Each structure stands twice: as C-alpha cells, then as structure tokens.
Coordinates of all heavy atoms in Angstrom, one line a residue:
M1 N 157.1 221.5 235.5 CA 155.7 221.4 235.9 C 155.0 220.2 235.2 O 155.4 219.7 234.2 CB 155.0 222.6 235.3 CG 154.8 223.7 236.3 SD 153.5 224.7 235.7 CE 154.0 226.2 236.4
A2 N 154.0 219.7 235.9 CA 153.3 218.6 235.4 C 152.5 218.9 234.3 O 151.8 220.0 234.3 CB 152.5 218.0 236.5
E3 N 152.5 218.1 233.3 CA 151.7 218.4 232.1 C 150.2 218.0 232.4 O 149.9 217.0 233.0 CB 152.2 217.5 230.9 CG 151.5 217.7 229.7 CD 152.0 216.8 228.6 OE1 153.2 216.5 228.6 OE2 151.2 216.3 227.8
E4 N 149.3 218.9 232.0 CA 147.9 218.7 232.3 C 147.4 217.8 231.2 O 147.7 218.0 230.0 CB 147.2 220.0 232.3 CG 147.5 220.8 233.5 CD 146.6 222.0 233.6 OE1 145.4 222.0 233.1 OE2 147.0 223.0 234.2
L5 N 146.6 216.8 231.6 CA 146.0 215.9 230.6 C 144.6 216.4 230.2 O 143.8 216.9 231.1 CB 145.8 214.5 231.2 CG 147.1 213.8 231.5 CD1 146.8 212.5 232.2 CD2 148.0 213.6 230.3
G6 N 144.3 216.3 228.9 CA 143.0 216.8 228.5 C 142.0 215.6 228.7 O 142.3 214.5 229.0
T7 N 140.7 216.0 228.4 CA 139.6 215.0 228.6 C 139.8 213.8 227.7 O 139.6 212.7 228.1 CB 138.3 215.7 228.3 OG1 138.2 216.8 229.1 CG2 137.1 214.7 228.6
R8 N 140.3 214.1 226.5 CA 140.5 213.0 225.5 C 141.6 212.1 225.9 O 141.4 210.9 225.8 CB 140.8 213.6 224.1 CG 141.1 212.6 223.1 CD 141.5 213.2 221.7 NE 140.8 212.5 220.7 CZ 139.7 212.8 220.1 NH1 139.2 214.0 220.3 NH2 139.2 212.0 219.2
D9 N 142.7 212.6 226.5 CA 143.7 211.8 227.0 C 143.3 210.9 228.1 O 143.6 209.7 228.2 CB 144.9 212.6 227.4 CG 145.5 213.4 226.3 OD1 145.5 212.9 225.1 OD2 146.1 214.5 226.6
V10 N 142.5 211.5 229.0 CA 142.0 210.7 230.2 C 141.1 209.6 229.7 O 141.2 208.5 230.2 CB 141.3 211.6 231.2 CG1 140.6 210.8 232.3 CG2 142.3 212.6 231.8
L11 N 140.2 209.9 228.8 CA 139.3 208.9 228.3 C 140.0 207.8 227.5 O 139.6 206.6 227.6 CB 138.2 209.6 227.4 CG 137.2 210.5 228.2 CD1 136.2 211.1 227.2 CD2 136.4 209.7 229.2
E12 N 141.1 208.1 226.8 CA 141.8 207.1 226.1 C 142.5 206.2 227.1 O 142.6 204.9 226.9 CB 142.9 207.7 225.2 CG 142.3 208.3 223.9 CD 143.4 209.0 223.1 OE1 144.6 209.0 223.5 OE2 143.0 209.5 222.0
Q13 N 143.0 206.7 228.2 CA 143.7 205.9 229.3 C 142.6 205.0 229.9 O 142.9 203.8 230.2 CB 144.3 206.8 230.3 CG 145.6 207.4 229.8 CD 146.3 208.3 230.9 OE1 145.8 208.3 232.1 NE2 147.4 208.9 230.6
V14 N 141.4 205.6 230.2 CA 140.4 204.8 230.8 C 140.0 203.6 229.9 O 139.8 202.5 230.3 CB 139.2 205.6 231.2 CG1 137.9 204.8 231.5 CG2 139.5 206.6 232.3
H15 N 139.8 204.0 228.6 CA 139.5 203.0 227.6 C 140.5 201.8 227.5 O 140.2 200.6 227.5 CB 139.3 203.6 226.2 CG 139.0 202.7 225.1 ND1 137.8 202.1 225.0 CD2 139.7 202.2 224.1 CE1 137.8 201.3 223.9 NE2 139.0 201.3 223.4
T16 N 141.8 202.2 227.5 CA 142.9 201.2 227.5 C 142.8 200.3 228.7 O 142.9 199.1 228.7 CB 144.2 201.9 227.4 OG1 144.2 202.8 226.2 CG2 145.3 200.9 227.3
R17 N 142.7 200.9 229.9 CA 142.6 200.2 231.1 C 141.4 199.3 231.2 O 141.5 198.1 231.7 CB 142.7 201.1 232.3 CG 144.0 201.8 232.5 CD 144.1 202.7 233.7 NE 145.4 203.3 233.7 CZ 145.8 204.2 234.6 NH1 144.9 204.5 235.6 NH2 147.0 204.7 234.6
L18 N 140.3 199.7 230.7 CA 139.1 198.9 230.7 C 139.2 197.7 229.8 O 138.8 196.6 230.1 CB 137.8 199.7 230.3 CG 137.3 200.7 231.4 CD1 136.1 201.5 230.8 CD2 136.8 199.9 232.6
G19 N 139.9 197.9 228.7 CA 140.2 196.8 227.8 C 141.1 195.8 228.4 O 140.8 194.6 228.3
T20 N 142.1 196.2 229.1 CA 143.0 195.3 229.8 C 142.2 194.6 230.9 O 142.4 193.3 231.0 CB 144.1 196.1 230.5 OG1 144.8 196.8 229.5 CG2 145.1 195.2 231.1
L21 N 141.4 195.3 231.6 CA 140.6 194.6 232.7 C 139.6 193.6 232.1 O 139.4 192.5 232.6 CB 139.8 195.6 233.5 CG 140.5 196.4 234.5 CD1 139.6 197.5 235.1 CD2 141.0 195.5 235.6
E22 N 139.0 193.9 230.9 CA 138.1 193.0 230.3 C 138.9 191.7 229.8 O 138.4 190.6 230.0 CB 137.5 193.6 229.0 CG 136.5 192.8 228.3 CD 135.9 193.5 227.1 OE1 136.3 194.6 226.8 OE2 134.9 193.0 226.6
Q23 N 140.1 191.8 229.3 CA 140.9 190.7 228.9 C 141.2 189.8 230.2 O 141.2 188.6 230.1 CB 142.1 191.1 228.2 CG 141.9 191.6 226.8 CD 143.2 192.2 226.2 OE1 144.2 192.2 226.9 NE2 143.1 192.5 224.9
D24 N 141.6 190.5 231.2 CA 141.9 189.8 232.5 C 140.7 189.0 233.0 O 140.8 187.8 233.4 CB 142.4 190.7 233.5 CG 143.8 191.3 233.2 OD1 144.5 190.8 232.3 OD2 144.2 192.3 233.9
V25 N 139.5 189.6 233.0 CA 138.3 188.9 233.4 C 138.0 187.7 232.6 O 137.6 186.7 233.0 CB 137.1 189.9 233.5 CG1 135.8 189.2 233.7 CG2 137.4 190.9 234.6
R26 N 138.1 187.9 231.2 CA 137.9 186.8 230.3 C 138.8 185.6 230.6 O 138.4 184.5 230.6 CB 138.0 187.2 228.9 CG 136.8 188.0 228.4 CD 136.9 188.4 227.0 NE 135.7 189.2 226.6 CZ 135.7 189.9 225.5 NH1 136.7 189.8 224.6 NH2 134.6 190.6 225.2
S27 N 140.1 186.0 230.8 CA 141.1 184.9 231.1 C 140.8 184.2 232.4 O 140.8 183.0 232.5 CB 142.5 185.6 231.2 OG 143.4 184.7 231.7
L28 N 140.4 185.0 233.4 CA 140.0 184.4 234.7 C 138.8 183.5 234.6 O 138.7 182.4 235.2 CB 139.8 185.5 235.7 CG 139.4 185.1 237.2 CD1 140.5 184.3 237.8 CD2 139.1 186.3 238.0
D29 N 137.8 184.0 233.8 CA 136.6 183.2 233.6 C 136.9 181.9 232.9 O 136.3 180.9 233.4 CB 135.6 184.1 232.7 CG 134.3 183.4 232.6 OD1 133.8 182.9 233.6 OD2 133.8 183.4 231.5
S30 N 137.8 181.9 231.9 CA 138.1 180.6 231.3 C 138.8 179.7 232.2 O 138.6 178.5 232.2 CB 138.9 180.9 230.0 OG 140.1 181.4 230.3
K31 N 139.7 180.2 233.1 CA 140.4 179.4 234.0 C 139.5 178.8 235.1 O 139.6 177.6 235.4 CB 141.5 180.2 234.7 CG 142.7 180.5 233.8 CD 143.7 181.4 234.6 CE 144.8 181.8 233.7 NZ 145.8 182.7 234.4
V32 N 138.6 179.6 235.6 CA 137.6 179.1 236.6 C 136.7 178.1 235.9 O 136.4 177.0 236.5 CB 136.8 180.3 237.2 CG1 135.6 179.8 238.0 CG2 137.7 181.2 238.0
G33 N 136.3 178.3 234.7 CA 135.4 177.3 234.0 C 136.2 176.0 233.8 O 135.6 174.9 234.0
A34 N 137.4 176.1 233.5 CA 138.2 174.8 233.3 C 138.3 174.1 234.6 O 138.2 172.9 234.7 CB 139.6 175.2 232.7
R35 N 138.6 174.8 235.7 CA 138.7 174.2 237.0 C 137.4 173.5 237.5 O 137.3 172.4 238.0 CB 139.1 175.2 238.1 CG 140.6 175.5 237.9 CD 141.1 176.4 239.1 NE 142.5 176.8 238.9 CZ 143.1 177.5 239.7 NH1 142.6 178.1 240.7 NH2 144.4 177.8 239.5
F36 N 136.3 174.2 237.2 CA 135.0 173.6 237.5 C 134.7 172.4 236.7 O 134.1 171.4 237.2 CB 133.8 174.6 237.4 CG 133.6 175.5 238.6 CD1 133.8 176.8 238.6 CD2 133.1 174.9 239.7 CE1 133.6 177.6 239.7 CE2 132.9 175.7 240.9 CZ 133.1 177.0 240.9
D37 N 135.1 172.4 235.5 CA 134.9 171.2 234.6 C 135.7 170.0 235.2 O 135.2 168.9 235.2 CB 135.4 171.5 233.2 CG 134.4 172.3 232.4 OD1 133.3 172.4 232.9 OD2 134.8 172.9 231.4
R38 N 136.9 170.3 235.7 CA 137.7 169.2 236.3 C 137.1 168.7 237.5 O 137.1 167.5 237.8 CB 139.2 169.7 236.6 CG 140.1 169.7 235.4 CD 141.4 170.1 235.8 NE 141.4 171.6 236.1 CZ 142.5 172.3 236.3 NH1 143.6 171.7 236.4 NH2 142.4 173.6 236.5
V39 N 136.5 169.6 238.3 CA 135.8 169.2 239.6 C 134.6 168.4 239.2 O 134.4 167.3 239.9 CB 135.4 170.4 240.4 CG1 134.5 170.0 241.5 CG2 136.7 171.1 241.0
Y40 N 133.8 168.7 238.2 CA 132.7 168.0 237.8 C 133.1 166.6 237.4 O 132.4 165.6 237.7 CB 131.9 168.7 236.7 CG 131.1 169.9 237.2 CD1 131.1 171.0 236.4 CD2 130.4 169.9 238.4 CE1 130.4 172.2 236.9 CE2 129.7 171.0 238.9 CZ 129.7 172.1 238.1 OH 129.0 173.2 238.5
H41 N 134.2 166.5 236.6 CA 134.6 165.2 236.2 C 135.1 164.3 237.4 O 134.8 163.1 237.4 CB 135.8 165.3 235.2 CG 135.3 165.8 233.8 ND1 134.5 165.1 233.0 CD2 135.6 166.9 233.2 CE1 134.3 165.7 231.9 NE2 134.9 166.9 232.0
K42 N 135.8 164.9 238.3 CA 136.2 164.2 239.5 C 135.0 163.7 240.3 O 135.0 162.6 240.8 CB 137.1 165.0 240.4 CG 138.5 165.2 239.9 CD 139.4 166.0 240.8 CE 140.8 166.1 240.2 NZ 141.7 166.9 241.1
I43 N 134.0 164.5 240.4 CA 132.7 164.2 241.1 C 132.1 163.0 240.4 O 131.6 162.0 241.1 CB 131.8 165.4 241.3 CG1 132.3 166.4 242.3 CG2 130.4 164.9 241.7 CD1 131.6 167.7 242.3
G44 N 132.1 163.0 239.1 CA 131.5 161.9 238.3 C 132.3 160.6 238.6 O 131.7 159.5 238.7
D45 N 133.6 160.7 238.6 CA 134.4 159.5 238.9 C 134.1 159.0 240.3 O 134.0 157.8 240.5 CB 135.9 159.9 238.8 CG 136.3 160.2 237.4 OD1 135.6 159.9 236.4 OD2 137.4 160.8 237.2
I46 N 134.0 159.9 241.3 CA 133.7 159.5 242.6 C 132.4 158.8 242.7 O 132.2 157.8 243.4 CB 133.9 160.7 243.6 CG1 135.3 161.1 243.7 CG2 133.3 160.3 245.0 CD1 135.5 162.4 244.5
R47 N 131.4 159.4 242.0 CA 130.0 158.8 242.0 C 130.1 157.4 241.4 O 129.4 156.5 241.9 CB 129.1 159.6 241.2 CG 128.6 160.8 242.0 CD 127.6 161.6 241.2 NE 127.1 162.7 242.0 CZ 126.3 163.6 241.5 NH1 125.8 163.6 240.3 NH2 125.9 164.6 242.3
S48 N 130.8 157.2 240.4 CA 130.9 155.8 239.8 C 131.6 154.8 240.7 O 131.2 153.7 240.8 CB 131.6 155.8 238.4 OG 132.9 156.3 238.5
E49 N 132.6 155.3 241.4 CA 133.3 154.5 242.4 C 132.4 154.1 243.5 O 132.3 152.9 244.0 CB 134.5 155.1 243.0 CG 135.7 155.2 242.0 CD 136.9 155.9 242.6 OE1 137.0 155.9 243.9 OE2 137.7 156.4 241.9
V50 N 131.6 155.1 244.0 CA 130.6 154.8 245.1 C 129.6 153.8 244.6 O 129.2 152.9 245.4 CB 130.0 156.1 245.6 CG1 128.8 155.9 246.5 CG2 131.1 156.9 246.3
A51 N 129.1 154.0 243.4 CA 128.1 153.1 242.9 C 128.6 151.6 242.8 O 127.9 150.7 243.2 CB 127.6 153.5 241.5
G52 N 129.9 151.5 242.4 CA 130.5 150.2 242.4 C 130.6 149.6 243.8 O 130.4 148.4 244.0
F53 N 131.0 150.4 244.7 CA 131.2 150.0 246.1 C 129.8 149.5 246.6 O 129.7 148.5 247.3 CB 131.8 151.1 246.9 CG 131.9 150.7 248.4 CD1 132.9 149.8 248.8 CD2 131.1 151.3 249.3 CE1 133.0 149.5 250.1 CE2 131.2 151.0 250.7 CZ 132.2 150.1 251.1
R54 N 128.8 150.3 246.3 CA 127.4 150.0 246.8 C 127.0 148.6 246.3 O 126.4 147.8 247.0 CB 126.4 151.0 246.4 CG 126.5 152.3 247.3 CD 125.4 153.2 246.9 NE 125.4 154.4 247.8 CZ 124.7 155.5 247.5 NH1 123.9 155.6 246.5 NH2 124.8 156.5 248.4
S55 N 127.2 148.4 245.0 CA 126.8 147.1 244.4 C 127.6 146.0 245.0 O 127.0 144.9 245.3 CB 126.9 147.1 242.9 OG 128.3 147.3 242.5
E56 N 128.8 146.2 245.3 CA 129.6 145.1 245.9 C 129.1 144.9 247.4 O 129.0 143.7 247.8 CB 131.1 145.6 246.0 CG 132.0 144.6 246.6 CD 133.5 145.1 246.6 OE1 133.9 145.8 245.7 OE2 134.2 144.7 247.5
V57 N 128.8 145.9 248.1 CA 128.3 145.7 249.5 C 126.9 145.0 249.4 O 126.7 144.1 250.2 CB 128.2 147.1 250.2 CG1 127.4 147.0 251.5 CG2 129.6 147.6 250.5
N58 N 126.1 145.4 248.5 CA 124.8 144.8 248.4 C 124.9 143.3 248.1 O 124.2 142.5 248.6 CB 123.9 145.5 247.3 CG 123.4 146.8 247.8 OD1 123.3 147.1 249.0 ND2 123.1 147.7 246.9
A59 N 125.8 143.0 247.2 CA 126.0 141.6 246.8 C 126.5 140.8 248.0 O 126.0 139.7 248.3 CB 127.0 141.5 245.7
R60 N 127.4 141.3 248.8 CA 127.9 140.7 250.0 C 126.8 140.5 251.0 O 126.7 139.5 251.7 CB 129.1 141.4 250.6 CG 130.4 141.3 249.8 CD 131.5 141.9 250.5 NE 132.7 141.8 249.7 CZ 133.9 142.3 250.0 NH1 134.0 142.9 251.2 NH2 134.9 142.1 249.2
F61 N 126.0 141.6 251.2 CA 124.9 141.5 252.1 C 123.9 140.5 251.7 O 123.4 139.7 252.6 CB 124.2 142.9 252.2 CG 123.1 143.0 253.1 CD1 123.3 143.1 254.5 CD2 121.8 143.0 252.7 CE1 122.2 143.1 255.4 CE2 120.7 143.1 253.5 CZ 120.9 143.2 254.9
D62 N 123.6 140.4 250.4 CA 122.7 139.3 250.0 C 123.2 137.9 250.3 O 122.5 137.1 250.8 CB 122.4 139.5 248.5 CG 121.6 140.7 248.1 OD1 120.9 141.2 249.0 OD2 121.6 141.1 246.9
R63 N 124.5 137.7 250.0 CA 125.1 136.4 250.4 C 125.0 136.1 251.9 O 124.7 135.0 252.3 CB 126.5 136.4 249.9 CG 126.7 136.0 248.4 CD 128.1 135.8 248.0 NE 128.5 137.0 247.3 CZ 129.6 137.7 247.4 NH1 130.5 137.3 248.3 NH2 129.8 138.8 246.7
T64 N 125.3 137.1 252.7 CA 125.3 136.9 254.1 C 123.9 136.6 254.6 O 123.7 135.7 255.4 CB 125.8 138.2 254.8 OG1 127.1 138.5 254.3 CG2 125.8 138.0 256.3
I65 N 122.8 137.3 254.1 CA 121.5 137.0 254.5 C 121.1 135.6 254.1 O 120.4 134.9 254.8 CB 120.5 138.0 253.8 CG1 120.7 139.4 254.4 CG2 119.1 137.6 254.0 CD1 120.4 139.5 255.9
R66 N 121.5 135.2 252.9 CA 121.2 133.8 252.4 C 121.8 132.8 253.4 O 121.2 131.8 253.7 CB 121.6 133.6 251.0 CG 120.8 134.3 250.0 CD 121.2 134.1 248.6 NE 120.5 134.9 247.7 CZ 120.9 135.3 246.5 NH1 122.1 134.9 246.1 NH2 120.2 136.1 245.7
W67 N 123.0 133.0 253.7 CA 123.7 132.1 254.7 C 123.0 132.0 256.0 O 122.8 131.0 256.6 CB 125.2 132.5 254.9 CG 126.1 131.8 253.9 CD1 126.6 132.4 252.7 CD2 126.6 130.5 253.9 NE1 127.4 131.5 252.1 CE2 127.4 130.4 252.8 CE3 126.4 129.4 254.8 CZ2 128.0 129.2 252.5 CZ3 127.1 128.3 254.5 CH2 127.9 128.1 253.3
L68 N 122.6 133.2 256.5 CA 121.9 133.2 257.8 C 120.6 132.5 257.7 O 120.2 131.8 258.7 CB 121.7 134.7 258.3 CG 123.0 135.4 258.8 CD1 122.7 136.9 259.0 CD2 123.5 134.7 260.0
V69 N 119.8 132.8 256.7 CA 118.5 132.1 256.6 C 118.8 130.6 256.4 O 118.0 129.8 257.1 CB 117.8 132.6 255.3 CG1 116.6 131.8 255.0 CG2 117.4 134.1 255.6
G70 N 119.8 130.2 255.7 CA 120.1 128.8 255.6 C 120.5 128.1 256.9 O 120.0 127.0 257.2
L71 N 121.3 128.8 257.7 CA 121.7 128.3 259.0 C 120.5 128.2 259.9 O 120.4 127.2 260.7 CB 122.8 129.2 259.6 CG 124.2 129.1 258.9 CD1 125.1 130.1 259.5 CD2 124.7 127.7 259.1
I72 N 119.6 129.2 259.9 CA 118.5 129.2 260.8 C 117.6 128.0 260.4 O 117.1 127.2 261.2 CB 117.7 130.5 260.7 CG1 118.5 131.6 261.4 CG2 116.3 130.4 261.4 CD1 118.0 133.0 261.2
L73 N 117.3 127.8 259.1 CA 116.5 126.7 258.6 C 117.1 125.3 259.0 O 116.5 124.4 259.4 CB 116.2 126.8 257.1 CG 115.3 127.9 256.7 CD1 115.2 128.0 255.2 CD2 113.9 127.8 257.3
A74 N 118.5 125.3 258.8 CA 119.2 124.0 259.1 C 119.1 123.7 260.6 O 119.0 122.6 261.0 CB 120.6 124.1 258.7
S75 N 119.1 124.8 261.4 CA 119.1 124.5 262.9 C 117.7 124.1 263.3 O 117.5 123.3 264.3 CB 119.4 125.8 263.7 OG 118.4 126.8 263.5
W76 N 116.6 124.4 262.6 CA 115.3 124.0 262.9 C 115.0 122.5 262.5 O 114.2 121.8 263.0 CB 114.2 124.9 262.2 CG 114.1 126.2 262.7 CD1 114.6 126.7 263.9 CD2 113.4 127.3 262.1 NE1 114.3 128.0 264.1 CE2 113.5 128.4 263.0 CE3 112.6 127.5 261.0 CZ2 112.9 129.6 262.7 CZ3 112.1 128.7 260.7 CH2 112.2 129.8 261.6
L77 N 115.8 122.1 261.5 CA 115.6 120.7 261.0 C 116.3 119.7 261.9 O 116.1 118.5 261.8 CB 116.2 120.6 259.6 CG 115.5 121.4 258.5 CD1 116.3 121.3 257.2 CD2 114.1 120.9 258.3
K78 N 117.1 120.2 262.8 CA 117.9 119.3 263.7 C 116.9 118.6 264.6 O 116.1 119.2 265.2 CB 118.8 120.2 264.5 CG 119.9 119.5 265.1 CD 120.9 120.6 265.6 CE 121.8 120.1 266.7 NZ 122.6 121.1 267.3
P79 N 117.0 117.2 264.7 CA 116.1 116.5 265.6 C 116.3 116.6 267.1 O 117.3 116.9 267.6 CB 116.3 115.0 265.2 CG 117.5 115.0 264.3 CD 117.9 116.3 264.0

C-alpha cells in the first residue's frame, strides 16, 4: 500500500521545491541580465560606428559642395 503523507511532509516537499525554483529563477535572471548587458554594449559599439560613418559622410559632402560651388563660380568667370 502507498504510504500516506502527512501535512508536515507535504509542506516540507513544497518548501524544498520552492527553494529549488527560487534558485533556478535567480540563475535565469542573472543569465538574462548578462545577455542584456552584452546587447547594450553591442548597441553602443554600433552607435559609435554609425557616428563615425556620419562624420565621414558629412566631411565628404562638405568637400563635394565646395567643389560644386567652385565649379559654378569658375564657369561664371569664363568670358
């Protein structure tokens, strides 16, 4: 026959299982936190790369505008 469990036994099992679940949740929380930190760092790296690219494009655009303005002025000076 199956042994009947008392209230105390059942509560001890529940307490043990809840403790295990709590440890699992803490472990999962720390892993998720670490992954989010890595994602934030990658986003920061991407932002700095984009900022560098923007400054490079702006510099090229400025040079192109200067050349165009110079060419237009030079074409007007032609007799």
Side-chain angles (χ1 to χ4, degrees):
M1 263 200 208
E3 181 181 327
E4 289 187 29
L5 297 174
T7 305
R8 177 180 222 105
D9 296 329
V10 171
L11 291 177
E12 285 177 1
Q13 287 181 2
V14 168
H15 178 72
T16 303
R17 290 181 183 179
L18 285 176
T20 304
L21 283 174
E22 184 180 6
Q23 288 176 353
D24 291 345
V25 168
R26 285 183 182 167
S27 172
L28 180 63
D29 185 43
S30 65
K31 288 179 185 177
V32 168
R35 286 186 181 178
F36 272 113
D37 287 341
R38 281 185 285 187
V39 168
Y40 287 139
H41 288 295
K42 285 183 181 180
I43 288 172
D45 294 342
I46 290 170
R47 283 185 177 173
S48 63
E49 287 181 24
V50 168
F53 179 72
R54 281 184 179 169
S55 64
E56 183 180 328
V57 167
N58 286 339
R60 287 186 183 181
F61 181 74
D62 290 343
R63 277 186 256 137
T64 303
I65 291 296
R66 288 181 187 155
W67 271 99
L68 287 174
V69 169
L71 288 173
I72 291 169
L73 289 175
S75 69
W76 288 349
L77 294 175
K78 198 170 160 184

